[in-house]
Amino acid sequence: MKTKAVIMDEKAIIRATTRIAHEIIEKNKGVEDLVLVGIKTRGIPFAKRLAKKILEIEGKMVPVLTLDITLYRDDLTEIDANPVVQDTEFELDITGKIVVLVDDVLYTGRTVRAALDALVDKGRPKKVQLAVLIDRGHRELPIRPDFVGKNVPTSKLELVSVKFEEIDGVNKVLIVER
């Protein structure tokens, strides 16, 4: 795959994370009963970054849980005949909590739908919101993020590749061509 453009560098990711953290606090009138749930894989470091930023702003640590949605995907057989499922770290009851699902890219909404199915198997939150670093805008489902770092219209032949230092050793967002 060929890199077409770098659409966010490290500074832009930090600015977007800071803005989203402020928006989460404002929309929820603080952080009471707030839980961030990072969708595996790149939603997890993004959720941790948001929690760190919220701690800087509010002085309170927000719990961060991880969610593996592999077995909830409707395209599971297309992805892998023998999926490897990792443990989901859910040490907290989310019933009655405000849950912010966190992921790197919203494309068709299929990942979010699977995450919602997985989430309600864990408990019944009071409210579920969605935070994404990049919204590509191609919807199969009527899912809209509550918090967006950047809207990036792309063609179906382009991919948005989010790179986080925790996983990839670098912080940037690229558009690559198939």
PDB file of all heavy atoms in Angstrom, residues 139-166:
ATOM      1  N   ARG A 139     -21.259   5.308   5.981  1.00  0.00           N
ATOM      2  CA  ARG A 139     -22.127   4.649   6.940  1.00  0.00           C
ATOM      3  C   ARG A 139     -22.931   3.516   6.318  1.00  0.00           C
ATOM      4  O   ARG A 139     -23.610   3.710   5.328  1.00  0.00           O
ATOM      5  CB  ARG A 139     -23.130   5.620   7.551  1.00  0.00           C
ATOM      6  CG  ARG A 139     -22.527   6.786   8.250  1.00  0.00           C
ATOM      7  CD  ARG A 139     -22.014   6.362   9.624  1.00  0.00           C
ATOM      8  NE  ARG A 139     -21.675   7.524  10.394  1.00  0.00           N
ATOM      9  CZ  ARG A 139     -20.556   8.208  10.281  1.00  0.00           C
ATOM     10  NH1 ARG A 139     -19.651   7.842   9.433  1.00  0.00           N
ATOM     11  NH2 ARG A 139     -20.333   9.259  11.013  1.00  0.00           N
ATOM     12  N   GLU A 140     -22.870   2.346   6.934  1.00  0.00           N
ATOM     13  CA  GLU A 140     -23.811   1.276   6.648  1.00  0.00           C
ATOM     14  C   GLU A 140     -24.935   1.341   7.665  1.00  0.00           C
ATOM     15  O   GLU A 140     -26.024   0.857   7.438  1.00  0.00           O
ATOM     16  CB  GLU A 140     -23.132  -0.095   6.747  1.00  0.00           C
ATOM     17  CG  GLU A 140     -22.145  -0.371   5.648  1.00  0.00           C
ATOM     18  CD  GLU A 140     -21.464  -1.721   5.816  1.00  0.00           C
ATOM     19  OE1 GLU A 140     -21.789  -2.461   6.760  1.00  0.00           O
ATOM     20  OE2 GLU A 140     -20.598  -2.029   4.994  1.00  0.00           O
ATOM     21  N   LEU A 141     -24.629   1.916   8.818  1.00  0.00           N
ATOM     22  CA  LEU A 141     -25.562   1.990   9.933  1.00  0.00           C
ATOM     23  C   LEU A 141     -25.708   3.448  10.364  1.00  0.00           C
ATOM     24  O   LEU A 141     -24.790   4.236  10.196  1.00  0.00           O
ATOM     25  CB  LEU A 141     -25.025   1.164  11.114  1.00  0.00           C
ATOM     26  CG  LEU A 141     -24.723  -0.293  10.782  1.00  0.00           C
ATOM     27  CD1 LEU A 141     -23.879  -0.914  11.878  1.00  0.00           C
ATOM     28  CD2 LEU A 141     -26.015  -1.055  10.625  1.00  0.00           C
ATOM     29  N   PRO A 142     -26.838   3.786  10.950  1.00  0.00           N
ATOM     30  CA  PRO A 142     -27.031   5.180  11.387  1.00  0.00           C
ATOM     31  C   PRO A 142     -26.320   5.462  12.711  1.00  0.00           C
ATOM     32  O   PRO A 142     -26.929   5.751  13.724  1.00  0.00           O
ATOM     33  CB  PRO A 142     -28.543   5.282  11.529  1.00  0.00           C
ATOM     34  CG  PRO A 142     -28.976   3.896  11.882  1.00  0.00           C
ATOM     35  CD  PRO A 142     -28.035   2.982  11.140  1.00  0.00           C
ATOM     36  N   ILE A 143     -25.001   5.353  12.704  1.00  0.00           N
ATOM     37  CA  ILE A 143     -24.200   5.579  13.902  1.00  0.00           C
ATOM     38  C   ILE A 143     -23.392   6.853  13.698  1.00  0.00           C
ATOM     39  O   ILE A 143     -22.666   6.989  12.720  1.00  0.00           O
ATOM     40  CB  ILE A 143     -23.268   4.377  14.174  1.00  0.00           C
ATOM     41  CG1 ILE A 143     -24.103   3.159  14.528  1.00  0.00           C
ATOM     42  CG2 ILE A 143     -22.263   4.712  15.275  1.00  0.00           C
ATOM     43  CD1 ILE A 143     -23.322   1.882  14.661  1.00  0.00           C
ATOM     44  N   ARG A 144     -23.547   7.763  14.641  1.00  0.00           N
ATOM     45  CA  ARG A 144     -22.814   9.023  14.596  1.00  0.00           C
ATOM     46  C   ARG A 144     -22.002   9.159  15.872  1.00  0.00           C
ATOM     47  O   ARG A 144     -22.511   8.936  16.954  1.00  0.00           O
ATOM     48  CB  ARG A 144     -23.780  10.210  14.514  1.00  0.00           C
ATOM     49  CG  ARG A 144     -24.630  10.215  13.272  1.00  0.00           C
ATOM     50  CD  ARG A 144     -23.965  11.035  12.195  1.00  0.00           C
ATOM     51  NE  ARG A 144     -24.783  11.065  11.002  1.00  0.00           N
ATOM     52  CZ  ARG A 144     -24.385  10.609   9.840  1.00  0.00           C
ATOM     53  NH1 ARG A 144     -23.205  10.079   9.712  1.00  0.00           N
ATOM     54  NH2 ARG A 144     -25.153  10.673   8.795  1.00  0.00           N
ATOM     55  N   PRO A 145     -20.749   9.538  15.763  1.00  0.00           N
ATOM     56  CA  PRO A 145     -19.944   9.722  16.972  1.00  0.00           C
ATOM     57  C   PRO A 145     -20.350  10.989  17.724  1.00  0.00           C
ATOM     58  O   PRO A 145     -20.758  11.977  17.114  1.00  0.00           O
ATOM     59  CB  PRO A 145     -18.524   9.830  16.439  1.00  0.00           C
ATOM     60  CG  PRO A 145     -18.674  10.301  15.041  1.00  0.00           C
ATOM     61  CD  PRO A 145     -19.975   9.763  14.542  1.00  0.00           C
ATOM     62  N   ASP A 146     -20.246  10.931  19.037  1.00  0.00           N
ATOM     63  CA  ASP A 146     -20.510  12.105  19.870  1.00  0.00           C
ATOM     64  C   ASP A 146     -19.290  13.024  19.900  1.00  0.00           C
ATOM     65  O   ASP A 146     -19.429  14.234  20.056  1.00  0.00           O
ATOM     66  CB  ASP A 146     -20.831  11.664  21.300  1.00  0.00           C
ATOM     67  CG  ASP A 146     -22.057  10.774  21.346  1.00  0.00           C
ATOM     68  OD1 ASP A 146     -23.174  11.323  21.368  1.00  0.00           O
ATOM     69  OD2 ASP A 146     -21.899   9.538  21.334  1.00  0.00           O
ATOM     70  N   PHE A 147     -18.097  12.419  19.785  1.00  0.00           N
ATOM     71  CA  PHE A 147     -16.848  13.162  19.884  1.00  0.00           C
ATOM     72  C   PHE A 147     -15.923  12.707  18.761  1.00  0.00           C
ATOM     73  O   PHE A 147     -15.655  11.519  18.621  1.00  0.00           O
ATOM     74  CB  PHE A 147     -16.188  12.900  21.244  1.00  0.00           C
ATOM     75  CG  PHE A 147     -17.156  13.001  22.397  1.00  0.00           C
ATOM     76  CD1 PHE A 147     -17.618  11.855  23.021  1.00  0.00           C
ATOM     77  CD2 PHE A 147     -17.609  14.231  22.842  1.00  0.00           C
ATOM     78  CE1 PHE A 147     -18.519  11.926  24.076  1.00  0.00           C
ATOM     79  CE2 PHE A 147     -18.515  14.313  23.897  1.00  0.00           C
ATOM     80  CZ  PHE A 147     -18.968  13.161  24.513  1.00  0.00           C
ATOM     81  N   VAL A 148     -15.440  13.670  17.955  1.00  0.00           N
ATOM     82  CA  VAL A 148     -14.618  13.353  16.782  1.00  0.00           C
ATOM     83  C   VAL A 148     -13.367  14.220  16.782  1.00  0.00           C
ATOM     84  O   VAL A 148     -13.452  15.435  16.940  1.00  0.00           O
ATOM     85  CB  VAL A 148     -15.401  13.611  15.469  1.00  0.00           C
ATOM     86  CG1 VAL A 148     -14.539  13.317  14.257  1.00  0.00           C
ATOM     87  CG2 VAL A 148     -16.673  12.811  15.426  1.00  0.00           C
ATOM     88  N   GLY A 149     -12.230  13.570  16.555  1.00  0.00           N
ATOM     89  CA  GLY A 149     -10.987  14.317  16.411  1.00  0.00           C
ATOM     90  C   GLY A 149     -10.913  15.031  15.082  1.00  0.00           C
ATOM     91  O   GLY A 149     -10.588  16.208  15.002  1.00  0.00           O
ATOM     92  N   LYS A 150     -11.246  14.303  14.001  1.00  0.00           N
ATOM     93  CA  LYS A 150     -11.180  14.886  12.661  1.00  0.00           C
ATOM     94  C   LYS A 150     -12.091  14.105  11.723  1.00  0.00           C
ATOM     95  O   LYS A 150     -12.105  12.882  11.748  1.00  0.00           O
ATOM     96  CB  LYS A 150      -9.731  14.842  12.157  1.00  0.00           C
ATOM     97  CG  LYS A 150      -9.516  15.524  10.833  1.00  0.00           C
ATOM     98  CD  LYS A 150      -8.028  15.584  10.503  1.00  0.00           C
ATOM     99  CE  LYS A 150      -7.816  16.333   9.225  1.00  0.00           C
ATOM    100  NZ  LYS A 150      -7.006  17.509   9.377  1.00  0.00           N
ATOM    101  N   ASN A 151     -12.845  14.816  10.915  1.00  0.00           N
ATOM    102  CA  ASN A 151     -13.638  14.210   9.855  1.00  0.00           C
ATOM    103  C   ASN A 151     -12.783  14.160   8.602  1.00  0.00           C
ATOM    104  O   ASN A 151     -12.224  15.176   8.190  1.00  0.00           O
ATOM    105  CB  ASN A 151     -14.914  15.029   9.580  1.00  0.00           C
ATOM    106  CG  ASN A 151     -15.895  14.919  10.715  1.00  0.00           C
ATOM    107  OD1 ASN A 151     -16.451  13.859  10.963  1.00  0.00           O
ATOM    108  ND2 ASN A 151     -16.109  16.016  11.425  1.00  0.00           N
ATOM    109  N   VAL A 152     -12.666  12.962   8.021  1.00  0.00           N
ATOM    110  CA  VAL A 152     -11.808  12.767   6.860  1.00  0.00           C
ATOM    111  C   VAL A 152     -12.584  12.027   5.777  1.00  0.00           C
ATOM    112  O   VAL A 152     -12.703  10.803   5.818  1.00  0.00           O
ATOM    113  CB  VAL A 152     -10.536  11.967   7.232  1.00  0.00           C
ATOM    114  CG1 VAL A 152      -9.642  11.798   6.014  1.00  0.00           C
ATOM    115  CG2 VAL A 152      -9.784  12.628   8.359  1.00  0.00           C
ATOM    116  N   PRO A 153     -13.155  12.760   4.815  1.00  0.00           N
ATOM    117  CA  PRO A 153     -13.829  12.072   3.722  1.00  0.00           C
ATOM    118  C   PRO A 153     -12.809  11.323   2.867  1.00  0.00           C
ATOM    119  O   PRO A 153     -11.779  11.892   2.494  1.00  0.00           O
ATOM    120  CB  PRO A 153     -14.511  13.192   2.938  1.00  0.00           C
ATOM    121  CG  PRO A 153     -13.968  14.465   3.445  1.00  0.00           C
ATOM    122  CD  PRO A 153     -13.206  14.202   4.714  1.00  0.00           C
ATOM    123  N   THR A 154     -13.077  10.074   2.599  1.00  0.00           N
ATOM    124  CA  THR A 154     -12.160   9.249   1.812  1.00  0.00           C
ATOM    125  C   THR A 154     -12.951   8.452   0.791  1.00  0.00           C
ATOM    126  O   THR A 154     -14.150   8.229   0.948  1.00  0.00           O
ATOM    127  CB  THR A 154     -11.394   8.253   2.711  1.00  0.00           C
ATOM    128  OG1 THR A 154     -12.340   7.439   3.402  1.00  0.00           O
ATOM    129  CG2 THR A 154     -10.510   8.967   3.697  1.00  0.00           C
ATOM    130  N   SER A 155     -12.261   7.997  -0.232  1.00  0.00           N
ATOM    131  CA  SER A 155     -12.894   7.082  -1.182  1.00  0.00           C
ATOM    132  C   SER A 155     -12.829   5.685  -0.601  1.00  0.00           C
ATOM    133  O   SER A 155     -12.089   5.413   0.354  1.00  0.00           O
ATOM    134  CB  SER A 155     -12.170   7.121  -2.530  1.00  0.00           C
ATOM    135  OG  SER A 155     -10.955   6.407  -2.458  1.00  0.00           O
ATOM    136  N   LYS A 156     -13.574   4.785  -1.182  1.00  0.00           N
ATOM    137  CA  LYS A 156     -13.574   3.406  -0.694  1.00  0.00           C
ATOM    138  C   LYS A 156     -12.273   2.677  -1.007  1.00  0.00           C
ATOM    139  O   LYS A 156     -12.000   1.636  -0.451  1.00  0.00           O
ATOM    140  CB  LYS A 156     -14.774   2.651  -1.246  1.00  0.00           C
ATOM    141  CG  LYS A 156     -16.065   3.182  -0.658  1.00  0.00           C
ATOM    142  CD  LYS A 156     -17.228   2.300  -0.934  1.00  0.00           C
ATOM    143  CE  LYS A 156     -18.452   2.888  -0.252  1.00  0.00           C
ATOM    144  NZ  LYS A 156     -19.547   1.993  -0.200  1.00  0.00           N
ATOM    145  N   LEU A 157     -11.449   3.243  -1.884  1.00  0.00           N
ATOM    146  CA  LEU A 157     -10.155   2.642  -2.196  1.00  0.00           C
ATOM    147  C   LEU A 157      -9.045   3.133  -1.264  1.00  0.00           C
ATOM    148  O   LEU A 157      -7.921   2.669  -1.345  1.00  0.00           O
ATOM    149  CB  LEU A 157      -9.775   2.928  -3.649  1.00  0.00           C
ATOM    150  CG  LEU A 157     -10.705   2.335  -4.697  1.00  0.00           C
ATOM    151  CD1 LEU A 157     -10.261   2.748  -6.095  1.00  0.00           C
ATOM    152  CD2 LEU A 157     -10.761   0.821  -4.576  1.00  0.00           C
ATOM    153  N   GLU A 158      -9.379   4.084  -0.406  1.00  0.00           N
ATOM    154  CA  GLU A 158      -8.406   4.623   0.533  1.00  0.00           C
ATOM    155  C   GLU A 158      -8.644   4.038   1.921  1.00  0.00           C
ATOM    156  O   GLU A 158      -9.774   3.766   2.302  1.00  0.00           O
ATOM    157  CB  GLU A 158      -8.516   6.146   0.599  1.00  0.00           C
ATOM    158  CG  GLU A 158      -8.184   6.822  -0.711  1.00  0.00           C
ATOM    159  CD  GLU A 158      -8.487   8.305  -0.699  1.00  0.00           C
ATOM    160  OE1 GLU A 158      -9.482   8.716  -0.072  1.00  0.00           O
ATOM    161  OE2 GLU A 158      -7.727   9.049  -1.334  1.00  0.00           O
ATOM    162  N   LEU A 159      -7.572   3.871   2.667  1.00  0.00           N
ATOM    163  CA  LEU A 159      -7.647   3.417   4.045  1.00  0.00           C
ATOM    164  C   LEU A 159      -7.057   4.494   4.939  1.00  0.00           C
ATOM    165  O   LEU A 159      -6.105   5.173   4.559  1.00  0.00           O
ATOM    166  CB  LEU A 159      -6.846   2.126   4.249  1.00  0.00           C
ATOM    167  CG  LEU A 159      -7.307   0.883   3.517  1.00  0.00           C
ATOM    168  CD1 LEU A 159      -6.302  -0.243   3.715  1.00  0.00           C
ATOM    169  CD2 LEU A 159      -8.672   0.452   4.022  1.00  0.00           C
ATOM    170  N   VAL A 160      -7.641   4.631   6.126  1.00  0.00           N
ATOM    171  CA  VAL A 160      -7.062   5.512   7.128  1.00  0.00           C
ATOM    172  C   VAL A 160      -6.278   4.627   8.076  1.00  0.00           C
ATOM    173  O   VAL A 160      -6.811   3.677   8.640  1.00  0.00           O
ATOM    174  CB  VAL A 160      -8.141   6.303   7.884  1.00  0.00           C
ATOM    175  CG1 VAL A 160      -7.523   7.075   9.039  1.00  0.00           C
ATOM    176  CG2 VAL A 160      -8.874   7.241   6.940  1.00  0.00           C
ATOM    177  N   SER A 161      -5.022   4.920   8.228  1.00  0.00           N
ATOM    178  CA  SER A 161      -4.137   4.137   9.080  1.00  0.00           C
ATOM    179  C   SER A 161      -3.696   4.989  10.267  1.00  0.00           C
ATOM    180  O   SER A 161      -2.942   5.948  10.100  1.00  0.00           O
ATOM    181  CB  SER A 161      -2.924   3.674   8.274  1.00  0.00           C
ATOM    182  OG  SER A 161      -2.031   2.968   9.089  1.00  0.00           O
ATOM    183  N   VAL A 162      -4.204   4.638  11.455  1.00  0.00           N
ATOM    184  CA  VAL A 162      -3.830   5.350  12.672  1.00  0.00           C
ATOM    185  C   VAL A 162      -2.652   4.617  13.296  1.00  0.00           C
ATOM    186  O   VAL A 162      -2.694   3.400  13.481  1.00  0.00           O
ATOM    187  CB  VAL A 162      -5.014   5.425  13.661  1.00  0.00           C
ATOM    188  CG1 VAL A 162      -4.578   6.050  14.977  1.00  0.00           C
ATOM    189  CG2 VAL A 162      -6.169   6.209  13.049  1.00  0.00           C
ATOM    190  N   LYS A 163      -1.618   5.350  13.600  1.00  0.00           N
ATOM    191  CA  LYS A 163      -0.415   4.796  14.223  1.00  0.00           C
ATOM    192  C   LYS A 163      -0.255   5.430  15.603  1.00  0.00           C
ATOM    193  O   LYS A 163      -0.198   6.655  15.717  1.00  0.00           O
ATOM    194  CB  LYS A 163       0.836   5.108  13.385  1.00  0.00           C
ATOM    195  CG  LYS A 163       0.759   4.665  11.945  1.00  0.00           C
ATOM    196  CD  LYS A 163       0.874   3.178  11.822  1.00  0.00           C
ATOM    197  CE  LYS A 163       0.938   2.764  10.368  1.00  0.00           C
ATOM    198  NZ  LYS A 163       0.870   1.341  10.212  1.00  0.00           N
ATOM    199  N   PHE A 164      -0.225   4.587  16.626  1.00  0.00           N
ATOM    200  CA  PHE A 164       0.010   5.057  17.985  1.00  0.00           C
ATOM    201  C   PHE A 164       1.336   4.513  18.478  1.00  0.00           C
ATOM    202  O   PHE A 164       1.658   3.344  18.245  1.00  0.00           O
ATOM    203  CB  PHE A 164      -1.107   4.612  18.935  1.00  0.00           C
ATOM    204  CG  PHE A 164      -2.404   5.367  18.782  1.00  0.00           C
ATOM    205  CD1 PHE A 164      -3.605   4.688  18.747  1.00  0.00           C
ATOM    206  CD2 PHE A 164      -2.426   6.747  18.695  1.00  0.00           C
ATOM    207  CE1 PHE A 164      -4.798   5.370  18.630  1.00  0.00           C
ATOM    208  CE2 PHE A 164      -3.624   7.438  18.569  1.00  0.00           C
ATOM    209  CZ  PHE A 164      -4.815   6.753  18.544  1.00  0.00           C
ATOM    210  N   GLU A 165       2.073   5.347  19.176  1.00  0.00           N
ATOM    211  CA  GLU A 165       3.394   4.962  19.684  1.00  0.00           C
ATOM    212  C   GLU A 165       3.339   3.671  20.502  1.00  0.00           C
ATOM    213  O   GLU A 165       4.239   2.838  20.411  1.00  0.00           O
ATOM    214  CB  GLU A 165       3.962   6.098  20.529  1.00  0.00           C
ATOM    215  CG  GLU A 165       5.379   5.870  20.972  1.00  0.00           C
ATOM    216  CD  GLU A 165       5.957   7.081  21.677  1.00  0.00           C
ATOM    217  OE1 GLU A 165       5.421   8.189  21.540  1.00  0.00           O
ATOM    218  OE2 GLU A 165       6.963   6.895  22.364  1.00  0.00           O
ATOM    219  N   GLU A 166       2.276   3.482  21.279  1.00  0.00           N
ATOM    220  CA  GLU A 166       2.162   2.312  22.141  1.00  0.00           C
ATOM    221  C   GLU A 166       2.140   1.001  21.347  1.00  0.00           C
ATOM    222  O   GLU A 166       2.535  -0.045  21.853  1.00  0.00           O
ATOM    223  CB  GLU A 166       0.875   2.392  22.988  1.00  0.00           C
ATOM    224  CG  GLU A 166       0.820   3.573  23.930  1.00  0.00           C
ATOM    225  CD  GLU A 166       0.226   4.843  23.326  1.00  0.00           C
ATOM    226  OE1 GLU A 166       0.255   5.019  22.085  1.00  0.00           O
ATOM    227  OE2 GLU A 166      -0.264   5.684  24.092  1.00  0.00           O
TER     228      GLU A 166
END
